[in-house]
Every structure is written in structure tokens, then in C-alpha cells.
Amino acid sequence: MPLMRVEPGMVATIVTHMEMRARPRPAPIPPAPLRLVRWKTPDAQAYRTLFRRVGAPWLWFSRLVMADAQLLAILHDPAVEIYAVTDPLGTEIGLLELDFRSMPDCELSFLGLVPERTGKGLGRWLIAHATSLAWRKGVERFWVHSCTLDSPGALGFYMRSGFTPFAREIETFADPRLAGILPRDAAPH
């Protein structure tokens, strides 16, 4: 078996692309003491703050390095929907982003909770909302990608939620911790 060299300062991950090709049968959304709050035109700084809180453990950095104009062009596009997940006190503890710019596809761009809220079953509530919001008139495919830097349970979670893997790729990128984009202790795994 050949091995692929990863240069110093780089990170490698296996990306799995998954999709739903048909709207799932209606099912009740699991109960949770949370709310989804639509951000119609989020401020770049507020978005990046929540993005960092949710994604730093998994090396999410793509939106942190974008120029404000590029980021806001995505966030303010009417075909992109951003939701903050809030707890009963109104504290933002999660992020959901749906991208309808390539209809008839809807991409689940980002979905996650802050680390202290993971592993408590709240992800089932969030993915149920994401699925309900994604499947609307004209959508023929709901898709997402996950990688080996995500939570070890992410791939199984998405498959149990109705997604089917259809492709895998290896991605390499400069380690955002070395550039100071994320803290050095982010993603210790």
C-alpha cells in the first residue's frame, strides 16, 4: 500500500461526501430546550465568533481566513440561511448553515454545537431541524461532507440521520494553528 507524504506544517484528512436523494418521511423533532434563531444578515465578527466557538475543536478555519467582503457575500446571499442555536437564556451555543445557491441541491455547510453541549443528544434535535428546513420545494438533494478531523461520531451520526456516503477524498491544508488562526491547543486529537 502506498503512503502519501504530508509535508511539515500541513494537516491531512479524509473527507467523506454524503447525500440524501429523497425527502425523509415526516418524523417528530426530538425535544430540546433550544431554539433556532435566523440570522438574515449576520455581522462578520459575530458570525466568526460563533464559528470559532463551535468549530475550533475540529479545526474549522475556512471562514476565519476569508476577507470580510468575501464572507459577507456568502452570509448575506438570500440563498444562504444561517441559524444560531440558542439555549433557554438566549446564549448562542450552536450553528446551522444551509446553502441553496446550487439548486436543486441544498448543502449542509456547517452544523455544530459548542464543545460543552456535545454528547448530550442535542445533535439529533439540530439535524432534525436542518433536514426539515432543507427539504423544500425544488430541492432534490441534501448533502454534507464530514472529515476525519470532525468528531469521531460524526460520520455515523450523519448516516443514522439518513445520509448515504457517495465519495471520499484526501484533503491537505496548512495547519491553521501554526499560523495563529486557531489556538495551538485546538483539536488535540
Side-chain angles (χ1 to χ4, degrees), residues 37-59:
V37 177
R38 175 85 187 270
W39 283 359
K40 290 197 178 186
T41 53
D43 160 287
Q45 185 61 32
Y47 176 88
R48 283 189 180 115
T49 297
L50 184 56
F51 184 90
R52 182 184 305 271
R53 287 183 55 224
V54 171
W58 317 114
L59 290 187

Side-chain angles (χ1 to χ4, degrees), residues 35 37 48 51 87 90 105 110-111 115 124 155 157 165 177:
R35 276 188 39 219
V37 177
R48 283 189 180 115
F51 184 90
D87 68 11
D105 291 353
F110 294 100
L111 177 130
R124 290 189 301 272
L155 189 60
F157 170 77
R177 297 167 294 192

Side-chain angles (χ1 to χ4, degrees), residues 170-183:
I170 296 174
E171 177 183 24
T172 59
F173 54 87
D175 190 331
R177 297 167 294 192
L178 299 179
I181 297 162
L182 291 172

Side-chain angles (χ1 to χ4, degrees), residues 11-187:
V11 174
T13 185
I14 299 171
V15 178
T16 301
H17 302 277
M18 295 166 275
E19 65 186 0
M20 283 185 206
R21 287 285 184 172
R23 178 190 307 259
R25 290 192 305 176
I29 292 180
L34 305 175
R35 276 188 39 219
L36 279 181
V37 177
R38 175 85 187 270
W39 283 359
K40 290 197 178 186
T41 53
D43 160 287
Q45 185 61 32
Y47 176 88
R48 283 189 180 115
T49 297
L50 184 56
F51 184 90
R52 182 184 305 271
R53 287 183 55 224
V54 171
W58 317 114
L59 290 187
W60 290 9
F61 72 96
S62 60
R63 300 294 175 80
L64 303 176
V65 297
M66 285 182 175
D68 282 356
Q70 183 184 11
L71 176 61
L72 291 174
I74 295 168
L75 301 182
H76 294 177
D77 189 305
V80 175
E81 295 181 8
I82 314 289
Y83 298 86
V85 178
T86 63
D87 68 11
L89 298 175
T91 305
E92 294 159 351
I93 60 155
L95 178 67
L96 167 60
E97 185 173 328
L98 298 170
D99 187 340
F100 295 91
R101 292 178 295 173
S102 296
M103 286 292 281
D105 291 353
C106 172
E107 179 183 0
L108 177 55
S109 301
F110 294 100
L111 177 130
L113 298 165
V114 295
E116 55 273 17
R117 296 302 182 106
T118 60
K120 297 175 174 28
L122 300 174
R124 290 189 301 272
W125 175 87
L126 185 53
I127 194 69
H129 276 286
T131 302
S132 175
L133 290 164
W135 284 102
R136 57 183 66 170
K137 185 176 181 171
V139 171
E140 296 176 10
R141 179 175 85 131
F142 183 31
W143 74 282
V144 65
H145 60 268
S146 185
C147 72
T148 51
L149 294 173
D150 286 338
S151 165
L155 189 60
F157 170 77
Y158 285 123
M159 291 171 64
R160 285 188 305 279
S161 299
F163 290 93
T164 302
F166 69 89
R168 289 192 314 171
E169 300 175 293
I170 296 174
E171 177 183 24
T172 59
F173 54 87
D175 190 331
R177 297 167 294 192
L178 299 179
I181 297 162
L182 291 172
R184 288 270 185 169
D185 62 350

